[in-house]
Amino acid sequence: MTEPQRPETHPTDALKAAAGNAATPEGASPPVVPPAVPNVAEPEIVQTRSQWRDVWRQFRSHRGAMVALAIFVFIILFVSVGPLLWSIDPTYVDIRARNSGFSLAHPLGTDQLGRDLLARLMAGGQVSIAVGLTAMAIAIFLGSLVGVVSGYFRRLDAPLMRLTELFLALPLLPLLLLMVTLFREPLSQTFGSAFGIFLLIVSAIGATSWMQSARIVRGEVLGLKEREFILAARSIGTPSHRMIVRHILPNVLSPIMVAATLGIATAIITESALSFLGLGFPPDFPTWGRLLYDAVDQMVLYPQRVIFPGLMISLTVLCVNYIGDGLRDAMDPRIRGR
Amino acid sequence: MLNFTIRRLLLAIPTLLFISLVIFLLLEASPGDPLGDVPLTVPPEVRERMRAALGLGEPWPVRYVLWLKQFFWVEPLYWFDQIFGTAYAADMQRIISFQSRSPVFDVIAQRVPQTLTVVGMSYVVGILIAIPIGILSAYKQYSWFDQIGTFVSMIGFSMPTFFTGVVLIIVFAVNLQWFPSVYDTTHEVTDWDSFLVQARQMVMPVTVLALYNAAQISRFMRSSMLDNLGQDYVRTARAKGLTERKVVLKHVLRNSLIPVVTVIALGLPAVFGGAIITEQVFKVNGLGQLLITAIHGSDIPMVLTLTFIFAILIVVFTLIADILYGVLDPRIRYD
C-alpha cells in the first residue's frame, strides 16, 4: 500500500515518520509519549502527525479513491517501468509488420508504419503524465503565489484579484490554441522540436489554469489571518516571509493539494485536446492525445488504435479525479471521522 | 442592485479593452505571415503593396485603434443600416477576413446557427438530464442510484469529448450504421422526412456534449440539494405535515436551484467556444471550426474578432450570473 501524497517540504516530516514508527507497535508501553513535557516543539509534532494519519485513515475509507489510487499507481508503473520490460523502440518503423492485429510479437498490434502500439502507449503515457504533472506544478505555484500574496498583503489584494478576474474572463481554449500555433516554430527552433513544444504546452496550460487555485488559496488565507496563532506569531515579531512559509502555507496545504490533484486531470485533458486538434507535439513524438488523433483517420478499419489511447486518457483522468475527491473528503475536518 | 449592475458594466469596459489588447498583441507577436502562401515569384514591391492592401502597413497601435473603431463603431452602424435601411456606414470599411475576403461578421453570422442548434441543444438536453439525476441522488444519498449516478457523472467528465465522440462514431455510425458520422450543414428542414434526417444527424454530437454537461451540472445539483436538505426549514416544512413531494420539489428544489442556475449561466459562453473539439470530431462547421481554420490560415482579423466575441460572452454571462444570484437569493446583497 502506498502512502498518501505527503508534502515533501513539510519540515516535520522526518520527525513525524520517526515518531510514527515508534508509536505504532501494538505492544508499545504507554509512557512513550510523555504527556506533560513542557517542550515547545512537541505538541506541534504530535498534532501534525495525527492530522496526516487521520487524513490517511479517512482516505482509506473512501473505496473509490483507494481503487483509483491503485489503478493510478499501476498506470504510473506501466509508463515508467513498462518500457524497461517491453523494450521495443516506440519510433522503430517496421514497415513489413504494419497494421498487424493482436499477436505475440505486438500484443496491441501496430500502426500504419508498423510501430508497436504497446510501446507507443507507454512512451505516450510518459509524455502525457509528465505534461500533466509539470503543468499542474506551474499552475499550482502561480496560483498559490497569487493567492497567498493577495490574501496576506492587503494592499496587493485588489490589483491581484482584478488580474485573476481578467484571466478568468479570457477565452482560454481559443487562446491556448493561438499560443501553441503561434509560438511553436520559434520555440522548437531554439529548444529542439520535442522539448520546445513540451515547454510551450506546459507553460501555456500552466499560465491559463492557475486562477481557481489562487481564489481558493486567497479565501483560506483571509480566513487564517483572523486566527489567534497568527496574531501570536505576529506579536513576537515574525517577519512576513517566515510567517507565510511557517504558518500560512502549511495551513493552506490541503486545499492546494486537492486543487493540484484535480489540476493534473485538467492538464492531461487539455494536452490531449491540443494534440487532438493537431496542435500538440510533433507527429513522431507520441502522446496519448497524438496517438488518438493519428488513429482517427483509420478508425473504421482499426478501431482499437483509437480506443486504447482514449481509454488510457479517460482512465487516468478518472483515477485522478477520484483521488482528488477522496483527498477532499479526507482533508475536510468537518466530515473527517464520520 | 442597479448600482451594482452599472458599476460592473463600467468595470467590464476596461476589462474587455485589455483583453482585446492582449489578444491583439499575441497575434502581433506571432511569426505567422498572412502572405506566407503567396508565391515567391511575386516581386517584393508587389508584395509590399499586397501587405498595404491588407492593412498591414501601419504600425500596430494604429491598426489596433482602427480595429476597435471597426468593431465598436462601423459594425454596429452597418447592422443599424441593414435593419432601418439607412446608409450611415455606406463608405466605411468593415472588418475583412484575410482568407475569404468577405466581412468577418457575415461569415460568423453564417456559422452561428450550426453552433447554436447543435451545441445549444446539447446544453438544454444536458440540463434536463442533470437536474432530475441530481435531485434523486441527493434525496437518496448513498443509495445504489446515488452511487451509480456519481460514478457515471465522474466518468462523464473524465472522458474527453473527442474520445466519447470517436467511440460513438465507431459504434453507431460505423458498426451499427444508425446515424451519419458527419454533420451535413447544407441540409435544410422542409418537411417531416428532412426533419428526421436532421434529428438523426444531430443525435451523436448532442449526446456527446450533453453527457459532458450533464455530468458537471448533476454534481452541482446534487451537492446543492444536499446542502439544503439538512437545513432547518426543511424540518419545519415536514413538521407542518407537508407531503414529502411538496417539501422536496417545492421548498428544497427552489432553494437548491439558485447556485445551479448561476453555474448554468456561467457555462453558457462555453456553448459557443468550448465546443471547438466536438465540432471538429463531427465536422460541424460552426464557430469552433471557423476559429481553427482561421488560426491555421493566420487569418488575423477573423481570429481576433472571434476570440474577442468569446471574451465578451464570458464577461457578459459572468455578469448575468452574478445579477441572477442577487435576484434569486434575497440574502445576497452586493452593496
Side-chain angles (χ1 to χ4, degrees), chain B residues 162-185:
Chain B
F162 51 86
F163 180 50
T164 35
V166 166
V167 168
L168 283 196
I169 289 182
I170 290 177
V171 174
F172 292 105
V174 176
N175 287 345
L176 296 173
Q177 308 221 323
W178 286 357
F179 307 113
S181 73
V182 174
Y183 186 92
D184 176 12
T185 33

Side-chain angles (χ1 to χ4, degrees), chain B residues 109-179:
Chain B
Q110 288 166 9
R111 301 298 186 94
V112 166
Q114 280 85 288
T115 299
L116 274 188
T117 41
V118 177
V119 189
M121 179 71 132
S122 69
Y123 207 58
V124 174
V125 172
I127 294 168
L128 290 182
I129 300 174
I131 288 182
I133 290 181
I135 295 172
L136 255 182
S137 58
Y139 186 64
K140 299 198 173 346
Q141 197 189 3
Y142 302 131
S143 66
W144 62 266
F145 181 84
D146 181 28
Q147 305 273 0
I148 292 177
T150 316
F151 185 65
V152 169
S153 74
M154 214 50 160
I155 289 182
F157 76 77
S158 297
M159 295 232 288
T161 48
F162 51 86
F163 180 50
T164 35
V166 166
V167 168
L168 283 196
I169 289 182
I170 290 177
V171 174
F172 292 105
V174 176
N175 287 345
L176 296 173
Q177 308 221 323
W178 286 357
F179 307 113

Side-chain angles (χ1 to χ4, degrees), chain A residues 166 169-171 174 177-178 181-182 269 272-273 276-277 279 299-300 303 306 310-311 314 317-318 321-322 325, chain B residues 15 18-19 26 30-31 151 154 157-159 162-163 166 169-170 219 277 280-281 291 295-296 303 307 310 314-315:
Chain A
L166 207 72
L170 289 173
L177 293 177
L178 217 59
T181 332
L182 301 182
I269 287 211
S272 33
F276 183 78
L277 293 174
L279 296 171
M299 66 183 169
V300 177
V306 176
L311 266 186
S314 312
V317 172
L318 184 68
N321 277 335
Y322 255 104
D325 227 34
Chain B
T15 312
F18 186 79
I19 290 176
L26 203 62
S30 78
F151 185 65
M154 214 50 160
F157 76 77
S158 297
M159 295 232 288
F162 51 86
F163 180 50
V166 166
I169 289 182
I170 290 177
R219 278 171 68 85
I277 294 161
Q280 203 71 6
V281 172
L291 180 70
I295 287 179
H296 279 303
V303 176
T307 322
F310 290 146
I314 294 177
V315 170

Side-chain angles (χ1 to χ4, degrees), chain A residues 209-220:
Chain A
S209 52
W210 54 268
M211 291 83 73
Q212 298 298 341
S213 51
R215 287 185 140 189
I216 297 170
V217 170
R218 171 180 171 267
E220 293 279 324

Side-chain angles (χ1 to χ4, degrees), chain B:
Chain B
M1 202 65 213
L2 190 67
N3 259 336
F4 169 76
T5 314
I6 294 171
R7 205 172 60 221
R8 283 288 302 268
L9 275 176
L10 289 180
L11 198 68
I13 295 171
T15 312
L16 282 175
L17 281 180
F18 186 79
I19 290 176
S20 70
L21 185 65
V22 167
I23 304 170
F24 186 88
L25 287 181
L26 203 62
L27 280 167
E28 197 56 33
S30 78
D33 186 4
L35 291 182
D37 291 339
V38 174
L40 289 171
T41 47
V42 172
E45 62 271 14
V46 178
R47 196 176 272 270
E48 238 3 87
R49 285 227 305 279
M50 287 168 83
R51 290 187 73 84
L54 287 176
L56 288 172
E58 311 286 334
W60 72 262
V62 177
R63 273 183 289 137
Y64 174 62
V65 175
L66 199 67
W67 176 80
L68 280 183
K69 184 195 158 205
Q70 286 178 328
F71 191 96
F72 286 105
W73 180 242
V74 179
E75 290 293 336
L77 262 187
Y78 177 79
W79 293 108
F80 185 84
D81 285 355
Q82 289 291 93
I83 295 167
F84 296 103
T86 50
Y88 293 118
D91 50 351
M92 292 187 193
Q93 178 62 54
R94 300 178 66 195
I95 307 175
I96 300 290
S97 154
F98 285 172
Q99 272 181 314
S100 60
R101 305 282 191 266
S102 56
V104 165
F105 273 88
D106 289 357
V107 183
I108 293 177
Q110 288 166 9
R111 301 298 186 94
V112 166
Q114 280 85 288
T115 299
L116 274 188
T117 41
V118 177
V119 189
M121 179 71 132
S122 69
Y123 207 58
V124 174
V125 172
I127 294 168
L128 290 182
I129 300 174
I131 288 182
I133 290 181
I135 295 172
L136 255 182
S137 58
Y139 186 64
K140 299 198 173 346
Q141 197 189 3
Y142 302 131
S143 66
W144 62 266
F145 181 84
D146 181 28
Q147 305 273 0
I148 292 177
T150 316
F151 185 65
V152 169
S153 74
M154 214 50 160
I155 289 182
F157 76 77
S158 297
M159 295 232 288
T161 48
F162 51 86
F163 180 50
T164 35
V166 166
V167 168
L168 283 196
I169 289 182
I170 290 177
V171 174
F172 292 105
V174 176
N175 287 345
L176 296 173
Q177 308 221 323
W178 286 357
F179 307 113
S181 73
V182 174
Y183 186 92
D184 176 12
T185 33
T186 58
H187 179 74
E188 278 177 31
V189 178
T190 48
D191 53 356
W192 178 247
D193 282 339
S194 61
F195 173 76
L196 278 185
V197 172
Q198 172 72 12
R200 269 187 48 186
Q201 68 175 356
M202 277 178 67
V203 167
M204 286 206 298
V206 168
T207 315
V208 167
L209 275 175
L211 191 77
Y212 186 72
N213 292 325
Q216 293 186 316
I217 297 171
S218 75
R219 278 171 68 85
F220 269 107
M221 190 68 217
R222 175 175 179 272
S223 66
S224 164
M225 281 291 283
L226 280 179
D227 280 349
N228 274 291
L229 276 170
Q231 299 273 334
D232 287 343
Y233 73 86
V234 181
R235 194 177 336 124
T236 315
R238 286 199 178 120
K240 280 195 303 189
L242 289 183
T243 54
E244 198 61 20
R245 201 187 164 76
K246 236 181 191 158
V247 172
V248 175
L249 290 187
K250 261 200 144 143
H251 293 226
V252 182
L253 179 60
R254 280 190 177 184
N255 280 301
S256 3
L257 272 179
I258 296 170
V260 177
V261 166
T262 60
V263 165
I264 290 174
L266 282 179
L268 270 176
V271 168
F272 295 88
I276 294 172
I277 294 161
T278 319
E279 287 188 354
Q280 203 71 6
V281 172
F282 291 100
K283 312 275 189 292
V284 183
N285 61 346
L287 291 180
Q289 202 255 357
L290 182 63
L291 180 70
I292 301 260
T293 44
I295 287 179
H296 279 303
S298 53
D299 183 353
I300 294 174
M302 180 66 86
V303 176
L304 185 58
T305 312
L306 259 184
T307 322
F308 189 57
I309 290 177
F310 290 146
I312 293 179
L313 287 172
I314 294 177
V315 170
V316 167
F317 278 104
T318 315
L319 180 63
I320 290 179
D322 283 352
I323 294 173
L324 263 183
Y325 206 67
V327 170
L328 293 177
D329 192 342
R331 287 168 299 184
I332 304 288
R333 280 284 156 260
Y334 286 120
D335 302 312

Side-chain angles (χ1 to χ4, degrees), chain A residues 159-232:
Chain A
L160 279 177
M161 279 299 110
R162 286 297 91 72
L163 182 77
T164 314
E165 275 161 25
L166 207 72
F167 262 85
L168 280 170
L170 289 173
L172 291 181
L173 190 58
L175 270 193
L176 263 175
L177 293 177
L178 217 59
M179 276 153 81
V180 173
T181 332
L182 301 182
F183 299 112
R184 59 188 301 127
E185 281 307 312
L187 270 175
S188 55
Q189 271 162 18
T190 24
F191 295 101
S193 77
F195 185 66
I197 304 275
F198 180 83
L199 218 63
L200 173 65
I201 288 183
V202 157
S203 44
I205 296 177
T208 50
S209 52
W210 54 268
M211 291 83 73
Q212 298 298 341
S213 51
R215 287 185 140 189
I216 297 170
V217 170
R218 171 180 171 267
E220 293 279 324
V221 173
L222 281 180
L224 271 179
K225 258 173 63 185
E226 306 300 318
R227 304 271 286 273
E228 276 86 3
F229 72 93
I230 297 291
L231 188 67

